[in-house]
Amino acid sequence: MTRIPASAIRAGALRGAIEMRNSLQKPADLAYYVIGAVSFSLALWFFRDQLVPELGISTASIIFPSVMALMTLFVATYGLATLVSTEREDGTLLRLSILPAGTFTYAWGQTVRTLLELAFTFGIFTILASILVPDLWIRGAAGALLALGFLLLGILACLPLGFVVGAIFSNPRSVGGWGFLVVGAIVYASGIVVPLSELPMWVQVIGQILPLYWLGLGLRSALLPEGFATIEIAESWRTLESVGMLGLWAVVGAVLAPLLLQRVARKESFANLATRREKAMQRV
């Protein structure tokens, strides 16, 4: 087993922090974070007065966990895939692969950057949403802490999908097309919009393989009343299974992401990079 030097861990963390700091200094990126958080908060506010008689809570409270899961997937999968494919196209990944533990440093740096991006976005979103819809935190502080734990585990579990999609597609334009369809299929099969128990059996099987389903289930278990579990598969929150599946995805991703990126970088060359740049200039 290859030992990862501590310097690579520090370098990756520093790279991720610097990239996030630079992103916050760009007005376009900052507006993207704020507008997204505000839009989701206003969506919850729109449903604040629609009550579910059986549970005595607002529809906004039911939507809240799904919104958090969707934000996690979008940033940790679609956003990361776009960034990886972009830096594959511009040669960043190829240059880093030449350095000792370069692909690990890159993967760890992108993990840190994604964690910081989601922390910033969730911070804005939860503050605004809590002000606009005060009854979101039905389970109190204990539920909030459990949701935080599931979010952290869910982010680490969704990151492998981002690395895989980013490695498959050679440029960000492909991610914007086919990659978006992949993410849409994941959302549908994970029971985020419609309860998984109401979907066809083959979709249920696929959905229970994907980390997004278990993240959504874990967040619902942390934030919704116990009675809401009756619409879930087996009419249970399956908390241990959620932690186990998310943990498995996180561990597998931590092991395979650097290997996948290294394999992709190995197939690259500076000649191929020059050819892609020439084609890109022709499109412009």
Side-chain angles (χ1 to χ4, degrees):
M1 183 176 178
T2 303
R3 183 177 179 180
I4 304 299
S7 59
I9 298 176
R10 291 194 298 270
L14 180 60
R15 176 184 174 87
I18 291 174
E19 286 192 8
M20 184 59 194
R21 183 196 64 188
N22 292 341
S23 181
L24 291 177
Q25 294 175 346
K26 298 177 182 177
D29 287 0
L30 188 59
Y32 167 78
Y33 300 138
V34 174
I35 291 173
V38 170
S39 299
F40 280 122
S41 300
L42 291 176
L44 293 179
W45 177 80
F46 181 78
F47 291 103
R48 72 193 186 285
D49 294 328
Q50 296 185 18
L51 297 179
V52 181
E54 297 82 1
L55 299 176
I57 61 175
S58 67
T59 303
S61 299
I62 297 176
I63 297 174
F64 185 44
S66 295
V67 170
M68 298 181 81
L70 283 173
M71 291 174 70
T72 300
L73 179 75
F74 190 83
V75 174
T77 299
Y78 185 77
L80 177 61
T82 302
L83 183 60
V84 169
S85 63
T86 299
E87 296 190 333
R88 176 185 176 184
E89 184 181 48
D90 67 15
T92 299
L93 185 56
L94 176 60
R95 290 190 294 272
L96 287 174
S97 67
I98 300 174
L99 302 176
T103 50
F104 171 84
T105 302
Y106 178 80
W108 175 233
Q110 293 307 329
T111 298
V112 171
R113 186 201 60 79
T114 302
L115 287 169
L116 293 174
E117 179 180 342
L118 278 167
F120 181 75
T121 306
F122 277 132
I124 299 175
F125 170 61
T126 53
I127 291 173
L128 287 176
S130 299
I131 294 173
L132 295 174
V133 189
D135 66 342
L136 289 178
W137 306 101
I138 301 169
R139 304 288 288 272
L145 288 175
L146 183 58
L148 180 61
F150 272 116
L151 276 176
L152 180 58
L153 197 55
I155 294 168
L156 297 177
C158 288
L159 282 169
L161 294 174
F163 283 117
V164 168
V165 175
I168 289 175
F169 297 105
S170 59
N171 62 74
R173 294 170 297 283
S174 297
V175 175
W178 293 107
F180 192 80
L181 292 178
V182 172
V183 171
I186 291 173
V187 172
Y188 171 74
S190 298
I192 295 298
V193 179
V194 178
L196 195 61
S197 58
E198 298 182 10
L199 297 177
M201 183 57 66
W202 66 271
V203 178
Q204 294 184 29
V205 172
I206 295 174
Q208 291 178 82
I209 299 174
L210 299 171
L212 183 61
Y213 165 72
W214 297 103
L215 172 58
L217 182 63
L219 290 174
R220 290 191 294 274
S221 72
L223 300 173
L224 296 179
E226 194 65 35
F228 197 82
T230 56
I231 72 167
E232 302 290 349
I233 295 175
E235 298 185 356
S236 169
W237 291 126
R238 299 193 287 174
T239 302
L240 291 179
E241 291 93 329
S242 298
V243 173
M245 287 297 292
L246 290 174
L248 178 62
W249 269 94
V251 170
V252 170
V255 173
L256 293 184
L259 297 178
L260 176 63
L261 293 173
Q262 188 174 29
R263 182 176 181 180
V264 170
R266 194 180 295 123
K267 293 181 179 179
E268 294 288 342
S269 68
F270 287 104
N272 292 336
L273 176 61
T275 300
R276 286 202 299 269
R277 284 182 174 176
E278 185 176 340
K279 291 182 179 179
M281 292 297 294
Q282 292 174 353
R283 284 194 296 270
V284 174

